[in-house]
């Protein structure tokens, strides 16, 4: 027990330390790429101030020359001040290091030995200090925290509905392999898989949306709740819960529909593969019932590929899969926030959201490896590390 506990502790420490170079590498690549992308934050803001396309305009839009900017009222002095505000006047290596860890005394009169221990003098994402957005006049972490409830709601409920349902469906399909139930469910889930989530979302909006042309008005206009409706704070808990489900059910359906086919077929194939192995025949020969063999032996071994697919499915739903759904259903979440940050060249927000997404993905991957060892007792943490 102590040896296993020690193996777990050392394994977790090694994996957590390895996350640091992984995050640094991903952010470094992103930092290098955004240096060469045309239409930086100054160009975006200049276009907005000159009455051209807004800061949210598509990348690579028309950029005025310096003389043209002066003729229209934006001087080079103004641009230099903007560079100072955005720290774009700093050398490239300093801007790169500020992404991770940077020390800068806010009060030069404070002695160095005291300044080193003052938290306000340190900056960088590895210290979980993300800076301020260029355009939104707010701290990056505050913006992410503000948008997080939408993404959490979409990801959590989609995952909670998809994973258990697909596993139970896949087991049932394996037990009934070749029978009518297996054939009918395969046709249904493949039809669902062939319909992109955003296409279904548009169809639902047309048929059941808030527009005047809709057949029925089941889908609300926007948001996760009706908090903008007068008297909402006085609603009962039951009424608020029904309202929340009313807002979330259509986006969840669109996010989940494409996941059923992959996960249910994977479960079915994993269970069928275990059912054909010799130990199942031996267990049945010893007099164990089919149900006992299925629950005690087959399911435990067939869960391994499902556990390894856990982080990919969760991260795709939680972080990346909801952009179009958020846009169609007017839900202001992380997906839409990150997309707009890229268009606006809002570098602190792009790097901050990427850091959070990468960290969540790595932590989920670590959780998956721990579950892998728990599901299969033949694997130890030492062997997994090797």
């Amino acid at each position: 027990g102590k040896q296993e506990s020690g193996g777990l502790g050392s394994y977790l420490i090694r994996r957590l330390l390895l996350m640091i170079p992984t995050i640094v590498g991903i952010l470094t690549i992103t930092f290098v790429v955004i240096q060469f992308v045309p239409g930086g934050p100054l160009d975006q803001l200049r276009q907005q101030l000159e009455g051209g396309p807004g800061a949210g305009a598509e990348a690579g839009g028309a950029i005025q020359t310096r003389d043209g900017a002066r003729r229209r009222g934006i001087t080079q002095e103004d641009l230099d001040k903007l560079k100072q505000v955005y720290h774009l006047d700093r050398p490239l290596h300093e801007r790169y290091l500020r992404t991770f860890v940077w020390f800068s005394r806010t009060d030069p009169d404070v002695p160095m030995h005291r300044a080193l221990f003052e938290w306000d003098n340190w900056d960088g994402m590895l210290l979980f200090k993300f800076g301020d957005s260029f355009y939104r006049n707010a701290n990056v972490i505050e913006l992410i925290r503000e948008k997080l409830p939408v993404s959490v709601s979409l990801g959590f409920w989609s995952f909670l509905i998809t994973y258990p349902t697909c596993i139970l469906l896949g087991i049932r399909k394996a037990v009934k392999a070749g029978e009518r139930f297996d054939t009918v469910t395969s046709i249904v889930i493949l039809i669902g898989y062939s319909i992109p989530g955003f296409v279904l979302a548009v169809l639902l909006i047309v048929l059941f949306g808030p527009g005047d042309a809709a057949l029925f008005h089941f889908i609300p206009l926007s948001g996760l709740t009706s908090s903008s409706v007068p008297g909402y704070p006085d609603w009962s808990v039951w009424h608020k819960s029904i309202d929340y489900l009313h807002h979330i059910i259509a986006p969840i359906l669109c996010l989940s529909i494409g996941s059923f086919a992959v996960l249910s077929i994977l479960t079915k194939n994993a269970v069928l593969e275990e059912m054909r192995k010799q130990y199942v025949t031996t267990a049945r020969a010893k007099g164990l019932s089919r149900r006992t063999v299925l629950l005690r032996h087959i399911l435990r071994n067939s869960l391994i590929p499902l556990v390894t697919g856990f982080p990919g499915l969760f991260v795709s739903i939680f972080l990346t899969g909801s952009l179009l759904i958020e846009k169609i259903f007017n839900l202001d979440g992380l997906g839409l926030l990150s997309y707009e940050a890229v268009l606006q060249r809002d570098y602190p927000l792009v790097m901050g959201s990427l850091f959070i997404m990468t960290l969540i993905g790595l932590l989920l991957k670590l959780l998956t490896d721990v579950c892998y060892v728990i599901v299969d007792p033949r694997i130890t943490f030492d062997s997994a590390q090797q």
Side-chain angles (χ1 to χ4, degrees):
K2 292 183 178 179
Q3 183 176 1
E4 182 179 354
S5 176
L8 172 60
S10 60
Y11 177 75
L12 291 177
I13 292 175
R14 286 194 297 265
R15 288 294 301 273
L16 290 174
L17 291 177
L18 285 173
M19 289 181 186
I20 297 177
T22 302
I23 292 176
V24 170
I26 293 174
L27 293 181
T28 298
I29 294 174
T30 305
F31 179 86
V32 172
V33 169
I34 63 179
Q35 302 307 312
F36 298 98
V37 175
L42 289 179
D43 298 323
Q44 298 278 337
L45 188 58
R46 182 168 58 182
Q47 290 176 11
Q48 186 180 32
L49 293 176
E50 291 172 356
E58 293 291 341
I63 299 176
Q64 301 292 331
T65 62
R66 182 182 303 177
D67 294 337
R70 287 175 177 171
R71 286 196 303 268
R72 301 185 64 174
I74 299 178
T75 65
Q76 185 61 39
E77 182 180 357
D78 295 331
L79 294 178
D80 292 338
K81 290 181 179 179
L82 289 175
K83 286 184 179 181
Q84 294 179 359
V85 172
Y86 291 161
H87 297 294
L88 297 176
D89 60 328
R90 311 278 184 171
L92 186 62
H93 72 276
E94 179 179 331
R95 283 161 33 208
Y96 172 74
L97 293 177
R98 280 179 176 273
T99 303
F100 303 104
V101 177
W102 185 260
F103 172 79
S104 179
R105 277 189 286 183
T106 56
D107 186 357
D109 296 332
V110 177
M112 178 64 71
H113 68 277
R114 284 177 49 195
L116 287 173
F117 294 96
E118 292 184 3
W119 182 246
D120 292 338
N121 294 329
W122 290 91
D123 193 18
M125 293 186 186
L126 294 182
L127 302 176
F128 290 89
K129 301 180 76 172
F130 296 89
D132 296 331
S133 167
F134 285 167
Y135 302 102
R136 299 171 184 265
N137 194 29
N139 187 268
V140 168
I141 196 65
E142 293 298 327
L143 288 171
I144 294 175
R145 186 182 295 118
E146 179 185 342
K147 312 299 181 183
L148 201 57
V150 172
S151 296
V152 168
S153 295
L154 293 177
F156 175 77
W157 289 113
S158 298
F159 175 80
L160 195 63
I161 292 173
T162 301
Y163 226 75
T165 303
C166 290
I167 289 177
L168 293 175
L169 179 61
I171 295 171
R172 184 67 175 175
K173 287 173 65 63
V175 173
K176 299 287 187 180
E179 299 182 12
R180 183 177 180 181
F181 175 83
D182 182 30
T183 304
V184 172
T185 54
S186 296
I187 294 174
V188 172
I189 62 175
L190 288 177
I191 292 175
Y193 181 72
S194 65
I195 303 176
F198 69 92
V199 174
L200 178 62
V202 172
L203 180 62
L204 291 178
I205 288 292
V206 171
L207 296 179
F208 309 109
D212 295 335
L215 298 178
F216 303 97
H217 299 288
F218 291 150
I219 299 177
L221 183 62
S222 63
L224 286 180
T225 63
S226 302
S227 55
S228 60
V229 175
Y232 176 82
D234 299 328
W235 290 5
S236 64
V237 175
W238 172 255
H239 194 181
K240 288 182 178 179
S241 300
I242 295 299
D243 176 69
Y244 173 74
L245 292 176
H246 180 211
H247 283 75
I248 204 71
I249 189 168
I252 289 177
L253 176 62
C254 297
L255 275 178
S256 306
I257 189 171
S259 305
F260 277 90
V262 176
L263 191 55
S264 58
I265 297 299
L266 178 63
T267 305
K268 173 190 172 182
N269 293 338
V271 173
L272 283 176
E273 183 180 357
E274 293 298 323
M275 291 174 65
R276 299 189 184 104
K277 291 185 176 179
Q278 183 62 39
Y279 75 89
V280 176
T281 306
T282 303
R284 293 295 301 274
K286 290 182 178 180
L288 295 178
S289 66
R290 185 178 182 181
R291 181 184 181 87
T292 302
V293 174
L294 177 65
L295 295 178
R296 292 186 181 180
H297 303 284
I298 295 177
L299 288 185
R300 185 180 185 90
N301 293 326
S302 61
L303 281 177
I304 295 175
L306 302 181
V307 170
T308 58
F310 167 82
L313 175 64
F314 189 81
V315 171
S316 65
I317 293 177
F318 178 67
L319 298 176
T320 61
S322 59
L323 169 60
L324 291 175
I325 305 301
E326 289 177 14
K327 188 71 174 178
I328 294 172
F329 289 101
N330 291 322
L331 299 173
D332 195 7
L334 280 180
L336 193 58
L337 177 70
S338 302
Y339 173 72
E340 292 177 348
V342 172
L343 291 184
Q344 296 171 348
R345 305 298 188 268
D346 196 341
Y347 296 157
L349 190 52
V350 171
M351 301 292 281
S353 58
L354 179 64
F355 177 88
I356 296 296
M357 293 177 183
T358 302
L359 182 61
I360 292 175
L362 291 174
L363 290 174
L364 285 174
K365 179 60 178 175
L366 175 60
L367 176 62
T368 299
D369 291 342
V370 173
C371 293
Y372 206 138
V373 176
I374 294 174
V375 170
D376 192 346
R378 297 170 296 179
I379 301 175
T380 63
F381 289 102
D382 292 332
S383 64
Q385 180 65 21
Q386 293 173 1

